[in-house]
Amino acid sequence: CGLILFLSFLTKTDDPVQSSQSPTNTARESNLDVRKNRPTFARNSSSWEKQTAEEQVAARLTEFSKNRRAVTHRYAEKLGVAVPEDLEKFFDAADTGNWEEIDRLYKELETKTMKGASDEERIILQKLWHTAKEVWGAHESAQSWPAQALLDYGRDVLGSLQPGMVYLGGTDPGRFIPTLLNETSGGQNVVLTQNAFADGSYLGYVDFLYGDRIQTLSGQDSQKAFNEYFQDAAKRYAHDKEFPDEPKQMRPDENYKNEDGRVQISGQVAVMSINEFMVKMLQEKNPELSFAMEESFSLSSTYSGAVPLGPLVKLGSVNAPEQLTPALAAGSINYWRDRVSQLTSSPEFDPAKKTERTYAHMIVAQGNLFSSQNLSAEAELAFRLAQQLASSDVEPVGKLYGLLMRTGRTTEAADMLTQFQHAHPDKADAIKALSQ
């Protein structure tokens, strides 16, 4: 998420575990191995249960590495290119489970996707490196999550999915942990990340993996999303110049430049805005499918018709829109109360750990949904539950501060922010930004 992309208007892109989901194609129901682009190395669920959590995670990582190496070779064959030696070395390291070597080689690969020894090498790596990124992400998650917590989180996510549902992961844990468990348990779910939709090479990779199961996004879709975003940003930029005394429509960190008719926009906000357009496009291309999302950044246009689904948000369907009722929101709050109670009662509970902070972020996402539908009481409860899990994070307190301000509880909001600042003086810059 720290990657800054410069987007030009003239630039074109040519280029639960063992869940109950059943593919719509009859042949795929009878034999998962017919998915020739996604080889299966998974054991049945009973064999995993005989292992400790640590043994199971280690074994899954090994199988996942084999899976993604095979995918890499099949994708390279389709593209008519050879698998680079550096990529082979990375998978060799992944087979051994040596995290330091995996991390080192991955970072070298990442650098070469931007500054390859030659244009040809760089382009080939850009197309193929998504398999390495998924393997690296799975290993990184195993380094930063206790084994049992990792398995529990993956099962929380995959176990909430309905049959035939497409899953969109946002955060690193929300993407890589479900991918690891899904692919080492038969690969029955379609697991994507909305964060990479603006990347043409990722779209090609998704089409290779899942083109037999969903209508994937194309280069033309990508260009359309870029154009729609640029047109929208240009209108908002013009508004702010013409009406400087009115509230700004350009978003924070959305850096807009127009030099000699050439428009450039940089920053995470711009990239995620394009990804947001493309999420809607993917839904429109697959009206018969339902989608669940684990949010990274707040994508407000996805909230229309969305409802909570366990720890996730089920996006509104074109064919079967749902209404977010107070009863559904209350059920979500009860779900999170139980989950927060389980986590905080553990002797290993630590509000600074990635485990707790990841769940807190998921609660905030549902609070964002409630707030967008004017369910302010439920949104407040969600943000306060998130604070219990990640008491030192700015995100939950910031969301609660904004809600209190919008509902006229300004004194309470200011007092809460002051208390947080006293407790966490290292967050002074973020708190200043909130108060402004």
Side-chain angles (χ1 to χ4, degrees), residues 348-410:
E348 299 175 352
F349 171 72
D350 180 352
K353 284 195 325 187
K354 185 173 285 189
T355 305
E356 283 77 2
R357 298 176 68 198
T358 297
Y359 278 109
H361 181 76
M362 298 173 90
I363 303 175
V364 166
Q366 293 198 352
N368 292 338
L369 171 63
F370 301 153
S371 181
S372 74
Q373 302 300 312
N374 296 318
L375 296 172
S376 298
E378 292 82 356
E380 179 178 348
L381 288 171
F383 297 146
R384 292 191 184 280
L385 284 168
Q387 279 185 297
Q388 292 181 38
L389 285 184
S391 56
S392 62
D393 275 12
V394 173
E395 183 183 40
V397 74
K399 293 293 185 177
L400 181 57
Y401 174 79
L403 178 65
L404 295 175
M405 292 292 288
R406 288 193 301 275
T407 53
R409 297 156 66 182
T410 55

Side-chain angles (χ1 to χ4, degrees), residues 24-322:
T24 56
N25 181 284
T26 304
R28 290 197 295 268
E29 287 179 354
S30 62
N31 183 5
L32 288 174
D33 290 336
V34 301
R35 300 173 193 159
K36 61 180 180 180
N37 295 338
R38 299 174 56 252
T40 299
F41 295 89
R43 315 178 203 182
N44 59 48
S45 58
S46 61
S47 67
W48 291 123
E49 294 170 0
K50 298 174 183 177
Q51 297 180 318
T52 66
E54 290 75 15
E55 290 171 341
Q56 185 179 150
V57 169
R60 285 182 183 271
L61 288 170
T62 299
E63 292 193 2
F64 185 56
S65 176
K66 292 178 182 178
N67 176 291
R68 283 318 192 235
R69 189 200 286 262
V71 168
T72 302
H73 279 267
R74 294 186 181 187
Y75 192 28
E77 182 179 357
K78 178 185 177 183
L79 295 172
V81 300
V83 177
E85 183 180 352
D86 290 338
L87 199 50
E88 295 283 17
K89 289 180 180 178
F90 169 82
F91 283 113
D92 289 341
D95 288 343
T96 69
N98 185 331
W99 165 243
E100 289 75 16
E101 188 69 359
I102 292 169
D103 189 46
R104 182 184 70 80
L105 291 172
Y106 172 76
K107 289 175 180 176
E108 289 182 2
L109 282 172
E110 189 175 34
T111 299
K112 288 181 179 180
T113 63
M114 295 178 282
K115 300 177 181 179
S118 66
D119 288 344
E120 182 181 7
E121 177 189 54
R122 178 174 52 81
I123 292 171
I124 291 173
L125 280 174
Q126 284 176 351
K127 291 179 180 296
L128 296 179
W129 88 301
H130 294 285
T131 52
K133 184 167 187 174
E134 289 175 340
V135 171
W136 174 87
H139 278 272
E140 193 278 334
S141 297
Q143 290 294 311
S144 54
W145 284 63
Q148 189 59 58
L150 182 149
L151 295 172
D152 290 343
Y153 174 79
R155 288 164 178 153
D156 282 348
V157 170
L158 295 178
S160 69
L161 300 180
Q162 299 168 348
M165 181 169 277
V166 177
Y167 169 70
L168 304 174
T171 63
D172 281 357
R175 173 186 180 182
F176 297 125
I177 294 176
T179 300
L180 170 66
L181 268 63
N182 181 60
E183 293 303 294
T184 54
S185 300
Q188 297 193 36
N189 294 301
V190 174
V191 178
L192 310 175
T193 175
Q194 70 269 23
N195 284 17
F197 283 169
D199 179 353
S201 67
Y202 180 71
L203 298 184
Y205 175 59
V206 168
D207 183 64
F208 178 75
L209 282 183
Y210 295 115
D212 61 336
R213 300 177 67 180
I214 62 174
Q215 293 295 319
T216 57
L217 294 166
S218 66
Q220 289 75 20
D221 295 323
S222 177
Q223 188 60 47
K224 182 180 178 182
F226 271 69
N227 291 340
E228 289 184 5
Y229 169 71
F230 274 109
Q231 292 169 12
D232 176 66
K235 290 178 183 178
R236 291 184 284 108
Y237 180 75
H239 168 273
D240 292 352
K241 288 194 70 175
E242 187 175 354
F243 305 103
D245 295 330
E246 293 186 5
K248 301 294 184 184
Q249 292 188 2
M250 293 300 286
R251 300 158 190 150
D253 299 323
E254 192 177 25
N255 304 314
Y256 185 99
K257 293 182 181 180
N258 189 337
E259 298 178 353
D260 300 325
R262 188 178 182 86
V263 175
Q264 287 188 333
I265 303 178
S266 65
Q268 293 175 349
V269 172
V271 176
M272 288 308 300
S273 296
I274 293 167
N275 290 334
E276 184 173 359
F277 277 113
M278 298 188 75
V279 168
K280 302 302 290 183
M281 287 182 182
L282 186 63
Q283 287 185 276
E284 291 167 1
K285 295 185 78 167
N286 296 275
E288 76 286 357
L289 298 179
S290 56
F291 292 77
M293 183 163 69
E294 185 263 348
E295 190 175 84
S296 54
F297 292 81
S298 178
L299 306 182
S300 57
S301 70
T302 65
Y303 294 155
S304 177
V307 295
L309 182 69
L312 308 175
V313 170
K314 180 183 178 182
L315 303 186
S317 169
V318 175
N319 291 340
E322 297 189 47

